Amino acid sequence: QVRLVESGGGLVQPGGSLRLSCAASAISFGITTMGWYRQAPGKQRELVARITSGLSTIYADAVRGRFTMSRDNAKNTVYLQMSSLKPEDTAVYYCNAFPNFYSWGQGTQVTVSS
């Protein structure tokens, strides 16, 4: 059974940083493009970053230059380093495969507020 477990969220002031982690199990992780997604209250879930098996990354315009996605295939884990956080980054963050995703995990809440 596929399992995606996100962690690392929290409350941070504007301009602050957080590092999210997502551990995956029961998928062919090493050959799967993985993505970080987020869903803000009242909005649709959106893709913010993705990373291929070859470590190529693509970022949404809203986060480019502030977020960095990485992966550790030995640990079946992806990371999202978030810096210069803004209130509009407030959302529940999820990881999943891209473009064909598995069942969603519980996500991790990121709140950017002073």
Side-chain angles (χ1 to χ4, degrees):
Q1 182 177 355
V2 174
R3 190 171 184 222
L4 301 166
V5 180
E6 301 90 349
S7 62
L11 173 63
V12 63
Q13 292 186 342
S17 299
L18 281 174
R19 188 192 194 211
L20 307 183
S21 300
C22 172
S25 58
I27 67 172
S28 300
F29 185 85
I31 61 171
T32 300
T33 294
M34 295 295 295
W36 277 101
Y37 304 75
R38 68 185 180 186
Q39 187 167 20
K43 295 187 177 182
Q44 289 190 333
R45 190 171 293 162
E46 61 176 349
L47 177 70
V48 297
R50 66 183 193 258
I51 186 167
T52 68
S53 58
L55 305 183
S56 295
T57 52
I58 295 178
Y59 300 94
D61 289 345
V63 307
R64 189 176 299 114
R66 301 188 297 119
F67 290 10
T68 301
M69 185 174 183
S70 59
R71 66 191 297 162
D72 184 337
N73 288 342
K75 296 181 179 180
N76 281 14
T77 299
V78 291
Y79 305 96
L80 188 67
Q81 178 68 48
M82 306 186 296
S83 303
S84 302
L85 283 162
K86 304 176 181 181
E88 51 264 43
D89 295 318
T90 295
V92 180
Y93 284 72
Y94 304 85
C95 76
N96 213 316
F98 176 88
N100 300 314
F101 44 79
Y102 299 98
S103 297
W104 297 94
Q106 83 288 349
T108 187
Q109 175 71 49
V110 172
T111 303
V112 184
S113 175
S114 55

Short mmCIF file of all heavy atoms in Angstrom, two decimals, residues 57-113:
data_model
loop_
_atom_site.label_atom_id
_atom_site.label_comp_id
_atom_site.label_asym_id
_atom_site.label_seq_id
_atom_site.Cartn_x
_atom_site.Cartn_y
_atom_site.Cartn_z
N THR A 57 14.76 19.98 -11.69
CA THR A 57 13.69 20.58 -10.92
C THR A 57 12.98 21.67 -11.72
O THR A 57 13.59 22.36 -12.55
CB THR A 57 14.21 21.19 -9.61
OG1 THR A 57 15.30 22.07 -9.90
CG2 THR A 57 14.68 20.12 -8.65
N ILE A 58 11.70 21.81 -11.45
CA ILE A 58 10.88 22.88 -12.02
C ILE A 58 10.05 23.46 -10.90
O ILE A 58 9.51 22.71 -10.07
CB ILE A 58 9.99 22.35 -13.17
CG1 ILE A 58 10.85 21.87 -14.35
CG2 ILE A 58 9.03 23.44 -13.64
CD1 ILE A 58 10.06 21.29 -15.48
N TYR A 59 9.93 24.77 -10.90
CA TYR A 59 9.22 25.47 -9.83
C TYR A 59 8.10 26.34 -10.40
O TYR A 59 8.22 26.89 -11.50
CB TYR A 59 10.18 26.34 -9.04
CG TYR A 59 11.29 25.57 -8.38
CD1 TYR A 59 12.52 25.40 -9.00
CD2 TYR A 59 11.09 24.96 -7.13
CE1 TYR A 59 13.53 24.66 -8.40
CE2 TYR A 59 12.10 24.23 -6.53
CZ TYR A 59 13.31 24.08 -7.17
OH TYR A 59 14.31 23.35 -6.57
N ALA A 60 7.06 26.48 -9.63
CA ALA A 60 6.02 27.44 -9.96
C ALA A 60 6.58 28.85 -9.85
O ALA A 60 7.48 29.11 -9.04
CB ALA A 60 4.83 27.26 -9.04
N ASP A 61 6.03 29.75 -10.63
CA ASP A 61 6.52 31.13 -10.62
C ASP A 61 6.47 31.73 -9.22
O ASP A 61 7.36 32.50 -8.84
CB ASP A 61 5.67 31.98 -11.56
CG ASP A 61 5.92 31.66 -13.03
OD1 ASP A 61 6.92 30.98 -13.33
OD2 ASP A 61 5.10 32.08 -13.86
N ALA A 62 5.45 31.37 -8.46
CA ALA A 62 5.24 31.99 -7.15
C ALA A 62 6.34 31.65 -6.15
O ALA A 62 6.52 32.35 -5.15
CB ALA A 62 3.89 31.58 -6.59
N VAL A 63 7.07 30.55 -6.39
CA VAL A 63 8.05 30.10 -5.40
C VAL A 63 9.48 30.06 -5.95
O VAL A 63 10.42 29.84 -5.19
CB VAL A 63 7.67 28.71 -4.83
CG1 VAL A 63 6.25 28.73 -4.30
CG2 VAL A 63 7.88 27.61 -5.84
N ARG A 64 9.63 30.26 -7.25
CA ARG A 64 10.96 30.16 -7.85
C ARG A 64 11.92 31.15 -7.22
O ARG A 64 11.59 32.33 -7.03
CB ARG A 64 10.87 30.38 -9.36
CG ARG A 64 12.18 30.09 -10.10
CD ARG A 64 12.01 30.24 -11.60
NE ARG A 64 11.03 29.31 -12.12
CZ ARG A 64 9.86 29.70 -12.65
NH1 ARG A 64 9.57 30.98 -12.72
NH2 ARG A 64 9.02 28.79 -13.12
N GLY A 65 13.09 30.67 -6.88
CA GLY A 65 14.08 31.51 -6.22
C GLY A 65 13.99 31.52 -4.71
O GLY A 65 14.90 31.99 -4.03
N ARG A 66 12.89 31.00 -4.17
CA ARG A 66 12.72 30.94 -2.71
C ARG A 66 12.66 29.52 -2.19
O ARG A 66 13.05 29.26 -1.05
CB ARG A 66 11.43 31.67 -2.31
CG ARG A 66 11.40 33.13 -2.71
CD ARG A 66 10.18 33.84 -2.12
NE ARG A 66 8.92 33.29 -2.62
CZ ARG A 66 7.99 32.73 -1.84
NH1 ARG A 66 8.17 32.66 -0.54
NH2 ARG A 66 6.86 32.27 -2.36
N PHE A 67 12.15 28.60 -3.00
CA PHE A 67 12.00 27.19 -2.59
C PHE A 67 13.00 26.34 -3.37
O PHE A 67 13.28 26.59 -4.54
CB PHE A 67 10.60 26.68 -2.90
CG PHE A 67 9.50 27.26 -2.04
CD1 PHE A 67 9.71 28.33 -1.19
CD2 PHE A 67 8.23 26.71 -2.08
CE1 PHE A 67 8.69 28.86 -0.40
CE2 PHE A 67 7.19 27.21 -1.31
CZ PHE A 67 7.43 28.29 -0.47
N THR A 68 13.50 25.31 -2.71
CA THR A 68 14.39 24.35 -3.35
C THR A 68 13.95 22.94 -3.02
O THR A 68 13.83 22.59 -1.84
CB THR A 68 15.85 24.54 -2.88
OG1 THR A 68 16.27 25.87 -3.19
CG2 THR A 68 16.77 23.56 -3.59
N MET A 69 13.70 22.16 -4.05
CA MET A 69 13.29 20.77 -3.86
C MET A 69 14.46 19.85 -4.11
O MET A 69 15.25 20.07 -5.02
CB MET A 69 12.13 20.41 -4.81
CG MET A 69 11.57 19.03 -4.58
SD MET A 69 10.12 18.72 -5.60
CE MET A 69 9.67 17.08 -5.03
N SER A 70 14.57 18.83 -3.28
CA SER A 70 15.63 17.84 -3.44
C SER A 70 15.07 16.46 -3.09
O SER A 70 13.95 16.34 -2.60
CB SER A 70 16.83 18.18 -2.56
OG SER A 70 16.46 18.23 -1.19
N ARG A 71 15.90 15.45 -3.35
CA ARG A 71 15.45 14.09 -3.05
C ARG A 71 16.65 13.24 -2.61
O ARG A 71 17.78 13.51 -2.99
CB ARG A 71 14.78 13.44 -4.25
CG ARG A 71 15.66 13.19 -5.44
CD ARG A 71 14.85 12.79 -6.67
NE ARG A 71 14.13 11.54 -6.46
CZ ARG A 71 13.09 11.16 -7.23
NH1 ARG A 71 12.66 11.95 -8.20
NH2 ARG A 71 12.48 10.00 -7.00
N ASP A 72 16.35 12.23 -1.80
CA ASP A 72 17.33 11.25 -1.37
C ASP A 72 16.74 9.89 -1.69
O ASP A 72 15.87 9.39 -0.95
CB ASP A 72 17.62 11.39 0.13
CG ASP A 72 18.72 10.46 0.62
OD1 ASP A 72 18.97 9.43 -0.03
OD2 ASP A 72 19.32 10.76 1.66
N ASN A 73 17.18 9.29 -2.79
CA ASN A 73 16.59 8.03 -3.22
C ASN A 73 16.90 6.89 -2.25
O ASN A 73 16.13 5.93 -2.15
CB ASN A 73 17.07 7.68 -4.62
CG ASN A 73 16.46 8.57 -5.68
OD1 ASN A 73 15.46 9.24 -5.45
ND2 ASN A 73 17.10 8.61 -6.84
N ALA A 74 18.01 6.98 -1.55
CA ALA A 74 18.35 5.94 -0.58
C ALA A 74 17.35 5.91 0.58
O ALA A 74 17.16 4.87 1.21
CB ALA A 74 19.76 6.14 -0.05
N LYS A 75 16.74 7.06 0.84
CA LYS A 75 15.79 7.17 1.95
C LYS A 75 14.34 7.27 1.46
O LYS A 75 13.44 7.45 2.27
CB LYS A 75 16.12 8.39 2.81
CG LYS A 75 17.46 8.30 3.50
CD LYS A 75 17.71 9.53 4.37
CE LYS A 75 19.05 9.43 5.08
NZ LYS A 75 19.31 10.63 5.92
N ASN A 76 14.14 7.20 0.14
CA ASN A 76 12.79 7.36 -0.42
C ASN A 76 12.12 8.62 0.10
O ASN A 76 10.94 8.62 0.50
CB ASN A 76 11.91 6.15 -0.12
CG ASN A 76 12.18 4.97 -1.03
OD1 ASN A 76 13.19 4.95 -1.72
ND2 ASN A 76 11.30 4.00 -1.04
N THR A 77 12.88 9.71 0.12
CA THR A 77 12.41 10.95 0.74
C THR A 77 12.67 12.13 -0.18
O THR A 77 13.71 12.20 -0.83
CB THR A 77 13.11 11.17 2.08
OG1 THR A 77 12.80 10.07 2.96
CG2 THR A 77 12.65 12.46 2.74
N VAL A 78 11.70 13.04 -0.23
CA VAL A 78 11.89 14.31 -0.90
C VAL A 78 11.81 15.42 0.14
O VAL A 78 11.17 15.26 1.19
CB VAL A 78 10.86 14.57 -2.02
CG1 VAL A 78 11.10 13.63 -3.18
CG2 VAL A 78 9.43 14.46 -1.51
N TYR A 79 12.44 16.52 -0.18
CA TYR A 79 12.51 17.67 0.72
C TYR A 79 12.07 18.93 -0.01
O TYR A 79 12.19 19.02 -1.24
CB TYR A 79 13.93 17.85 1.24
CG TYR A 79 14.51 16.62 1.90
CD1 TYR A 79 15.31 15.74 1.19
CD2 TYR A 79 14.25 16.34 3.24
CE1 TYR A 79 15.84 14.61 1.78
CE2 TYR A 79 14.77 15.21 3.84
CZ TYR A 79 15.56 14.35 3.10
OH TYR A 79 16.07 13.23 3.70
N LEU A 80 11.62 19.89 0.76
CA LEU A 80 11.33 21.21 0.21
C LEU A 80 11.88 22.23 1.19
O LEU A 80 11.34 22.40 2.29
CB LEU A 80 9.83 21.42 0.01
CG LEU A 80 9.46 22.70 -0.73
CD1 LEU A 80 9.94 22.65 -2.18
CD2 LEU A 80 7.95 22.94 -0.68
N GLN A 81 12.97 22.87 0.80
CA GLN A 81 13.54 23.95 1.60
C GLN A 81 12.86 25.24 1.18
O GLN A 81 12.92 25.62 0.02
CB GLN A 81 15.04 24.04 1.37
CG GLN A 81 15.70 25.17 2.12
CD GLN A 81 15.68 24.97 3.62
OE1 GLN A 81 16.03 23.89 4.11
NE2 GLN A 81 15.27 25.99 4.37
N MET A 82 12.20 25.87 2.13
CA MET A 82 11.44 27.08 1.85
C MET A 82 12.08 28.25 2.59
O MET A 82 12.27 28.18 3.81
CB MET A 82 9.99 26.91 2.29
CG MET A 82 9.32 25.68 1.69
SD MET A 82 7.57 25.58 2.07
CE MET A 82 7.63 25.40 3.85
N SER A 83 12.39 29.30 1.86
CA SER A 83 13.00 30.48 2.44
C SER A 83 12.21 31.71 2.04
O SER A 83 11.38 31.66 1.11
CB SER A 83 14.45 30.61 1.97
OG SER A 83 15.20 29.46 2.28
N SER A 84 12.48 32.82 2.71
CA SER A 84 11.78 34.09 2.42
C SER A 84 10.28 33.87 2.35
O SER A 84 9.61 34.32 1.41
CB SER A 84 12.31 34.68 1.11
OG SER A 84 13.69 34.91 1.19
N LEU A 85 9.77 33.17 3.33
CA LEU A 85 8.35 32.82 3.30
C LEU A 85 7.45 34.04 3.41
O LEU A 85 7.78 35.02 4.09
CB LEU A 85 8.06 31.83 4.42
CG LEU A 85 8.52 30.39 4.11
CD1 LEU A 85 8.62 29.56 5.39
CD2 LEU A 85 7.56 29.73 3.13
N LYS A 86 6.32 33.94 2.73
CA LYS A 86 5.34 35.02 2.67
C LYS A 86 4.01 34.51 3.22
O LYS A 86 3.74 33.29 3.17
CB LYS A 86 5.14 35.47 1.23
CG LYS A 86 6.41 35.88 0.51
CD LYS A 86 6.12 36.20 -0.95
CE LYS A 86 7.38 36.61 -1.69
NZ LYS A 86 7.09 36.93 -3.12
N PRO A 87 3.16 35.39 3.69
CA PRO A 87 1.84 34.95 4.16
C PRO A 87 1.07 34.14 3.12
O PRO A 87 0.33 33.21 3.48
CB PRO A 87 1.14 36.26 4.49
CG PRO A 87 2.25 37.18 4.88
CD PRO A 87 3.38 36.83 3.96
N GLU A 88 1.26 34.47 1.86
CA GLU A 88 0.54 33.73 0.81
C GLU A 88 1.07 32.32 0.60
O GLU A 88 0.50 31.55 -0.18
CB GLU A 88 0.56 34.51 -0.51
CG GLU A 88 1.93 34.96 -0.96
CD GLU A 88 2.21 36.41 -0.55
OE1 GLU A 88 1.91 36.80 0.60
OE2 GLU A 88 2.79 37.14 -1.41
N ASP A 89 2.15 31.96 1.26
CA ASP A 89 2.63 30.58 1.23
C ASP A 89 1.87 29.70 2.23
O ASP A 89 2.08 28.48 2.26
CB ASP A 89 4.12 30.51 1.54
CG ASP A 89 4.97 31.19 0.48
OD1 ASP A 89 4.69 31.01 -0.72
OD2 ASP A 89 5.92 31.90 0.87
N THR A 90 1.04 30.29 3.04
CA THR A 90 0.27 29.53 4.01
C THR A 90 -0.63 28.53 3.30
O THR A 90 -1.42 28.90 2.43
CB THR A 90 -0.58 30.48 4.88
OG1 THR A 90 0.29 31.30 5.65
CG2 THR A 90 -1.51 29.70 5.80
N ALA A 91 -0.49 27.27 3.68
CA ALA A 91 -1.24 26.19 3.02
C ALA A 91 -0.90 24.88 3.69
O ALA A 91 0.04 24.80 4.50
CB ALA A 91 -0.88 26.12 1.54
N VAL A 92 -1.64 23.85 3.33
CA VAL A 92 -1.24 22.49 3.65
C VAL A 92 -0.40 21.98 2.48
O VAL A 92 -0.82 22.08 1.33
CB VAL A 92 -2.45 21.57 3.88
CG1 VAL A 92 -1.98 20.15 4.21
CG2 VAL A 92 -3.32 22.11 5.01
N TYR A 93 0.78 21.47 2.79
CA TYR A 93 1.71 21.01 1.77
C TYR A 93 1.71 19.48 1.72
O TYR A 93 1.74 18.80 2.77
CB TYR A 93 3.12 21.53 2.07
CG TYR A 93 3.28 22.98 1.73
CD1 TYR A 93 2.68 23.98 2.51
CD2 TYR A 93 4.03 23.39 0.63
CE1 TYR A 93 2.80 25.33 2.19
CE2 TYR A 93 4.17 24.73 0.30
CZ TYR A 93 3.56 25.69 1.08
OH TYR A 93 3.69 27.02 0.76
N TYR A 94 1.68 18.98 0.51
CA TYR A 94 1.64 17.54 0.26
C TYR A 94 2.74 17.17 -0.74
O TYR A 94 3.11 17.98 -1.60
CB TYR A 94 0.31 17.13 -0.38
CG TYR A 94 -0.93 17.50 0.38
CD1 TYR A 94 -1.51 18.75 0.23
CD2 TYR A 94 -1.55 16.57 1.21
CE1 TYR A 94 -2.67 19.09 0.90
CE2 TYR A 94 -2.72 16.89 1.88
CZ TYR A 94 -3.27 18.15 1.73
OH TYR A 94 -4.43 18.47 2.40
N CYS A 95 3.20 15.95 -0.66
CA CYS A 95 4.03 15.43 -1.74
C CYS A 95 3.25 14.33 -2.44
O CYS A 95 2.34 13.72 -1.87
CB CYS A 95 5.37 14.90 -1.22
SG CYS A 95 5.28 13.30 -0.40
N ASN A 96 3.61 14.09 -3.69
CA ASN A 96 3.01 13.01 -4.44
C ASN A 96 3.80 12.84 -5.73
O ASN A 96 4.67 13.65 -6.06
CB ASN A 96 1.54 13.28 -4.75
CG ASN A 96 0.71 12.02 -4.78
OD1 ASN A 96 1.13 11.01 -5.36
ND2 ASN A 96 -0.45 12.05 -4.15
N ALA A 97 3.49 11.81 -6.45
CA ALA A 97 4.12 11.62 -7.75
C ALA A 97 3.58 12.66 -8.73
O ALA A 97 2.56 13.32 -8.48
CB ALA A 97 3.84 10.22 -8.25
N PHE A 98 4.29 12.84 -9.83
CA PHE A 98 3.85 13.74 -10.90
C PHE A 98 4.06 13.05 -12.23
O PHE A 98 5.13 12.48 -12.45
CB PHE A 98 4.65 15.05 -10.85
CG PHE A 98 4.31 16.00 -11.98
CD1 PHE A 98 3.28 16.90 -11.85
CD2 PHE A 98 5.01 15.94 -13.19
CE1 PHE A 98 2.95 17.75 -12.89
CE2 PHE A 98 4.69 16.78 -14.24
CZ PHE A 98 3.66 17.69 -14.09
N PRO A 99 3.15 13.12 -13.18
CA PRO A 99 1.84 13.76 -13.10
C PRO A 99 0.73 12.86 -12.56
O PRO A 99 -0.34 13.36 -12.19
CB PRO A 99 1.56 14.11 -14.55
CG PRO A 99 2.19 12.99 -15.32
CD PRO A 99 3.43 12.63 -14.55
N ASN A 100 0.96 11.56 -12.54
CA ASN A 100 -0.10 10.63 -12.09
C ASN A 100 0.13 10.30 -10.63
O ASN A 100 1.06 9.60 -10.29
CB ASN A 100 -0.06 9.36 -12.93
CG ASN A 100 -0.28 9.66 -14.40
OD1 ASN A 100 -1.18 10.41 -14.76
ND2 ASN A 100 0.55 9.10 -15.25
N PHE A 101 -0.71 10.85 -9.77
CA PHE A 101 -0.46 10.76 -8.35
C PHE A 101 -1.18 9.59 -7.69
O PHE A 101 -2.16 9.05 -8.22
CB PHE A 101 -0.83 12.06 -7.63
CG PHE A 101 -2.13 12.67 -8.06
CD1 PHE A 101 -3.34 12.18 -7.59
CD2 PHE A 101 -2.14 13.74 -8.92
CE1 PHE A 101 -4.53 12.75 -7.97
CE2 PHE A 101 -3.33 14.33 -9.31
CZ PHE A 101 -4.52 13.82 -8.84
N TYR A 102 -0.66 9.24 -6.54
CA TYR A 102 -1.22 8.20 -5.68
C TYR A 102 -2.21 8.85 -4.70
O TYR A 102 -2.48 10.05 -4.77
CB TYR A 102 -0.09 7.51 -4.90
CG TYR A 102 0.92 6.82 -5.78
CD1 TYR A 102 2.12 7.42 -6.10
CD2 TYR A 102 0.67 5.54 -6.28
CE1 TYR A 102 3.06 6.78 -6.89
CE2 TYR A 102 1.61 4.90 -7.07
CZ TYR A 102 2.78 5.53 -7.38
OH TYR A 102 3.71 4.89 -8.17
N SER A 103 -2.72 8.04 -3.80
CA SER A 103 -3.58 8.58 -2.74
C SER A 103 -2.78 9.60 -1.92
O SER A 103 -1.60 9.40 -1.64
CB SER A 103 -4.08 7.46 -1.83
OG SER A 103 -4.88 6.54 -2.54
N TRP A 104 -3.44 10.66 -1.53
CA TRP A 104 -2.76 11.73 -0.82
C TRP A 104 -2.50 11.37 0.65
O TRP A 104 -3.30 10.70 1.30
CB TRP A 104 -3.59 13.01 -0.88
CG TRP A 104 -3.75 13.50 -2.28
CD1 TRP A 104 -4.76 13.24 -3.15
CD2 TRP A 104 -2.81 14.31 -3.01
NE1 TRP A 104 -4.52 13.84 -4.36
CE2 TRP A 104 -3.34 14.50 -4.31
CE3 TRP A 104 -1.58 14.90 -2.69
CZ2 TRP A 104 -2.68 15.25 -5.28
CZ3 TRP A 104 -0.93 15.65 -3.65
CH2 TRP A 104 -1.48 15.83 -4.94
N GLY A 105 -1.40 11.86 1.16
CA GLY A 105 -1.11 11.75 2.58
C GLY A 105 -1.88 12.79 3.37
O GLY A 105 -2.76 13.47 2.82
N GLN A 106 -1.51 12.96 4.63
CA GLN A 106 -2.23 13.89 5.48
C GLN A 106 -1.75 15.33 5.29
O GLN A 106 -2.42 16.27 5.70
CB GLN A 106 -2.09 13.50 6.96
CG GLN A 106 -0.82 13.97 7.65
CD GLN A 106 0.43 13.24 7.21
OE1 GLN A 106 0.37 12.21 6.52
NE2 GLN A 106 1.59 13.74 7.61
N GLY A 107 -0.60 15.49 4.67
CA GLY A 107 -0.06 16.83 4.46
C GLY A 107 0.56 17.39 5.73
O GLY A 107 0.46 16.81 6.82
N THR A 108 1.20 18.54 5.58
CA THR A 108 1.77 19.25 6.72
C THR A 108 1.43 20.73 6.60
O THR A 108 1.58 21.32 5.53
CB THR A 108 3.29 19.01 6.83
OG1 THR A 108 3.79 19.58 8.04
CG2 THR A 108 4.06 19.56 5.65
N GLN A 109 0.93 21.30 7.67
CA GLN A 109 0.45 22.68 7.65
C GLN A 109 1.62 23.65 7.77
O GLN A 109 2.45 23.54 8.68
CB GLN A 109 -0.53 22.91 8.80
CG GLN A 109 -0.99 24.34 8.96
CD GLN A 109 -1.93 24.78 7.84
OE1 GLN A 109 -2.90 24.06 7.52
NE2 GLN A 109 -1.68 25.94 7.26
N VAL A 110 1.65 24.61 6.87
CA VAL A 110 2.60 25.71 6.94
C VAL A 110 1.80 27.00 7.10
O VAL A 110 0.92 27.29 6.29
CB VAL A 110 3.47 25.78 5.68
CG1 VAL A 110 4.31 27.05 5.69
CG2 VAL A 110 4.36 24.54 5.58
N THR A 111 2.09 27.73 8.16
CA THR A 111 1.42 28.99 8.42
C THR A 111 2.47 30.08 8.53
O THR A 111 3.39 29.98 9.35
CB THR A 111 0.59 28.93 9.70
OG1 THR A 111 -0.37 27.87 9.60
CG2 THR A 111 -0.14 30.25 9.93
N VAL A 112 2.34 31.08 7.69
CA VAL A 112 3.28 32.21 7.69
C VAL A 112 2.53 33.44 8.19
O VAL A 112 1.64 33.95 7.52
CB VAL A 112 3.86 32.47 6.30
CG1 VAL A 112 4.91 33.57 6.37
CG2 VAL A 112 4.45 31.18 5.73
N SER A 113 2.88 33.86 9.38
CA SER A 113 2.15 34.95 10.00
C SER A 113 3.01 35.59 11.08
O SER A 113 3.80 34.92 11.75
CB SER A 113 0.85 34.43 10.62
OG SER A 113 0.18 35.45 11.34
#
